[in-house]
Amino acid sequence: MKIDGYTRLAAVVANPIKHSISPFIHNQAFEATNTNGVYLAWEVEATDLAETVANIRRYQMFGINLSMPYKEQVIPYLDQLSEEARLIGAVNTVVNREGTLIGYNTDGKGFFKSLPSFKISGKRMVLLGAGGAAKAILAQAILDGVSQVSVFVRSASIEKQDLT
């Protein structure tokens, strides 16, 4: 890996995050694609999230990935949201496009890409559960043209939520 004055930074941001294997995976991808970048894990306190996001633009970073608890908290600090991030109300990827910070949620898209021969358009779908991952899959299915969705949750889960 070549590191010089043109090397750009990317990071995964969460708390805790030191256990993450994302730096290993992304640095391997940078190397395989000859991208002059370095990917780090940043354990950031909630009080530092706004400044962390501002630093993406300040230091011309590629962007960041987010994990809990920051997927929803980051939204006010962004310039734009992709359609799926807006539908889900959560962001796991912030991309710096020439100083404009755009929030994406790649969870649903990643799920459907893991099923390469499957197309959801015009089909019916059943979701077991309604947590964060299910919400992302549902939003992407809607964007991809699903015809009908049935969602099943445990009654204990319903009792915990305020459905009003």
Side-chain angles (χ1 to χ4, degrees):
M1 176 182 298
K2 173 184 158 185
I3 298 175
D4 59 21
Y6 298 97
T7 303
R8 290 180 69 196
L9 185 61
V12 59
V13 173
N15 195 347
I17 197 59
K18 291 181 177 157
H19 63 281
S20 176
I21 63 168
S22 289
F24 172 77
I25 294 167
H26 286 83
N27 284 312
Q28 291 290 318
F30 283 164
E31 193 167 329
T33 59
N34 286 323
T35 301
N36 191 356
V38 174
Y39 189 96
L40 302 171
W42 286 350
E43 198 160 281
V44 172
E45 297 295 327
T47 54
D48 293 329
L49 184 60
E51 188 172 4
T52 299
V53 173
N55 284 335
I56 298 169
R57 194 181 343 258
R58 182 178 296 130
Y59 299 117
Q60 299 173 1
M61 294 173 60
F62 287 122
I64 60 173
N65 296 112
L66 295 134
S67 192
M68 295 309 288
Y70 302 132
K71 289 184 174 190
E72 296 170 359
Q73 294 173 15
V74 73
I75 291 174
Y77 308 118
L78 304 177
D79 301 314
Q80 296 175 16
L81 292 179
S82 66
E83 193 170 9
E84 78 283 346
R86 186 182 49 75
L87 285 171
I88 298 163
V91 166
N92 69 356
T93 303
V94 176
V95 175
N96 181 0
R97 293 252 191 271
E98 298 178 9
T100 299
L101 302 183
I102 306 167
Y104 297 88
N105 190 305
T106 62
D107 291 334
K109 194 169 284 192
F111 173 78
F112 285 108
K113 282 194 179 236
S114 73
L115 308 168
S117 62
F118 180 77
K119 302 294 178 227
I120 194 71
S121 180
K123 298 208 170 124
R124 296 183 302 182
M125 182 172 91
V126 173
L127 271 176
L128 303 176
K135 211 180 342 179
I137 292 167
L138 175 61
Q140 192 62 50
I142 290 168
L143 291 172
D144 290 347
V146 68
S147 68
Q148 178 183 347
V149 179
S150 299
V151 180
F152 295 90
V153 296
R154 296 175 298 161
S155 58
S157 296
I158 291 173
E159 292 168 8
K160 289 180 189 175
Q161 296 180 6
D162 178 15
L163 300 176
T164 57

mmCIF file of all heavy atoms in Angstrom, residues 2 10 76 81 98 111 135 138 140:
data_model
loop_
_atom_site.group_PDB
_atom_site.id
_atom_site.type_symbol
_atom_site.label_atom_id
_atom_site.label_comp_id
_atom_site.label_asym_id
_atom_site.label_seq_id
_atom_site.Cartn_x
_atom_site.Cartn_y
_atom_site.Cartn_z
ATOM 1 N N LYS A 2 0.636 2.113 -0.943
ATOM 2 C CA LYS A 2 1.393 3.354 -1.060
ATOM 3 C C LYS A 2 0.660 4.446 -0.292
ATOM 4 O O LYS A 2 -0.519 4.693 -0.505
ATOM 5 C CB LYS A 2 1.508 3.726 -2.532
ATOM 6 C CG LYS A 2 2.123 5.058 -2.808
ATOM 7 C CD LYS A 2 2.084 5.334 -4.314
ATOM 8 C CE LYS A 2 2.179 6.818 -4.546
ATOM 9 N NZ LYS A 2 2.022 7.164 -5.942
ATOM 10 N N ALA A 10 -10.708 7.135 4.641
ATOM 11 C CA ALA A 10 -12.077 6.687 4.887
ATOM 12 C C ALA A 10 -12.058 6.006 6.247
ATOM 13 O O ALA A 10 -11.004 5.590 6.726
ATOM 14 C CB ALA A 10 -12.541 5.727 3.800
ATOM 15 N N PRO A 76 -28.848 14.829 10.527
ATOM 16 C CA PRO A 76 -28.873 16.303 10.488
ATOM 17 C C PRO A 76 -27.578 16.953 9.992
ATOM 18 O O PRO A 76 -27.594 18.119 9.596
ATOM 19 C CB PRO A 76 -29.127 16.695 11.950
ATOM 20 C CG PRO A 76 -29.680 15.493 12.601
ATOM 21 C CD PRO A 76 -29.122 14.312 11.862
ATOM 22 N N LEU A 81 -29.737 13.096 1.311
ATOM 23 C CA LEU A 81 -29.983 11.680 1.601
ATOM 24 C C LEU A 81 -30.426 10.991 0.324
ATOM 25 O O LEU A 81 -31.201 11.558 -0.456
ATOM 26 C CB LEU A 81 -31.089 11.505 2.648
ATOM 27 C CG LEU A 81 -30.806 11.948 4.068
ATOM 28 C CD1 LEU A 81 -32.037 11.698 4.934
ATOM 29 C CD2 LEU A 81 -29.601 11.231 4.634
ATOM 30 N N GLU A 98 -17.295 15.836 -3.907
ATOM 31 C CA GLU A 98 -16.786 17.186 -4.136
ATOM 32 C C GLU A 98 -17.314 18.175 -3.100
ATOM 33 O O GLU A 98 -17.760 19.278 -3.424
ATOM 34 C CB GLU A 98 -17.113 17.645 -5.554
ATOM 35 C CG GLU A 98 -16.463 16.768 -6.608
ATOM 36 C CD GLU A 98 -16.805 17.182 -8.030
ATOM 37 O OE1 GLU A 98 -17.421 18.250 -8.230
ATOM 38 O OE2 GLU A 98 -16.444 16.432 -8.938
ATOM 39 N N PHE A 111 -28.328 -6.808 0.703
ATOM 40 C CA PHE A 111 -29.088 -8.051 0.865
ATOM 41 C C PHE A 111 -29.503 -8.599 -0.496
ATOM 42 O O PHE A 111 -29.285 -9.776 -0.786
ATOM 43 C CB PHE A 111 -30.332 -7.813 1.733
ATOM 44 C CG PHE A 111 -31.238 -8.999 1.792
ATOM 45 C CD1 PHE A 111 -30.938 -10.079 2.604
ATOM 46 C CD2 PHE A 111 -32.378 -9.051 1.005
ATOM 47 C CE1 PHE A 111 -31.772 -11.190 2.641
ATOM 48 C CE2 PHE A 111 -33.219 -10.159 1.040
ATOM 49 C CZ PHE A 111 -32.909 -11.230 1.863
ATOM 50 N N LYS A 135 -36.207 -3.221 7.961
ATOM 51 C CA LYS A 135 -36.642 -1.932 7.421
ATOM 52 C C LYS A 135 -35.848 -1.597 6.151
ATOM 53 O O LYS A 135 -36.410 -1.118 5.165
ATOM 54 C CB LYS A 135 -36.440 -0.848 8.482
ATOM 55 C CG LYS A 135 -37.439 0.245 8.365
ATOM 56 C CD LYS A 135 -37.393 1.396 9.339
ATOM 57 C CE LYS A 135 -36.699 1.387 10.608
ATOM 58 N NZ LYS A 135 -36.796 2.650 11.345
ATOM 59 N N LEU A 138 -37.001 -3.923 3.345
ATOM 60 C CA LEU A 138 -38.327 -3.507 2.894
ATOM 61 C C LEU A 138 -38.236 -2.264 2.004
ATOM 62 O O LEU A 138 -38.842 -2.218 0.926
ATOM 63 C CB LEU A 138 -39.227 -3.227 4.099
ATOM 64 C CG LEU A 138 -40.609 -2.660 3.790
ATOM 65 C CD1 LEU A 138 -41.413 -3.620 2.937
ATOM 66 C CD2 LEU A 138 -41.351 -2.348 5.080
ATOM 67 N N GLN A 140 -35.734 -1.181 0.209
ATOM 68 C CA GLN A 140 -35.120 -1.514 -1.072
ATOM 69 C C GLN A 140 -36.072 -2.326 -1.936
ATOM 70 O O GLN A 140 -36.139 -2.127 -3.152
ATOM 71 C CB GLN A 140 -33.804 -2.272 -0.871
ATOM 72 C CG GLN A 140 -32.989 -2.392 -2.139
ATOM 73 C CD GLN A 140 -32.579 -1.038 -2.691
ATOM 74 O OE1 GLN A 140 -32.050 -0.206 -1.976
ATOM 75 N NE2 GLN A 140 -32.828 -0.818 -3.965
#
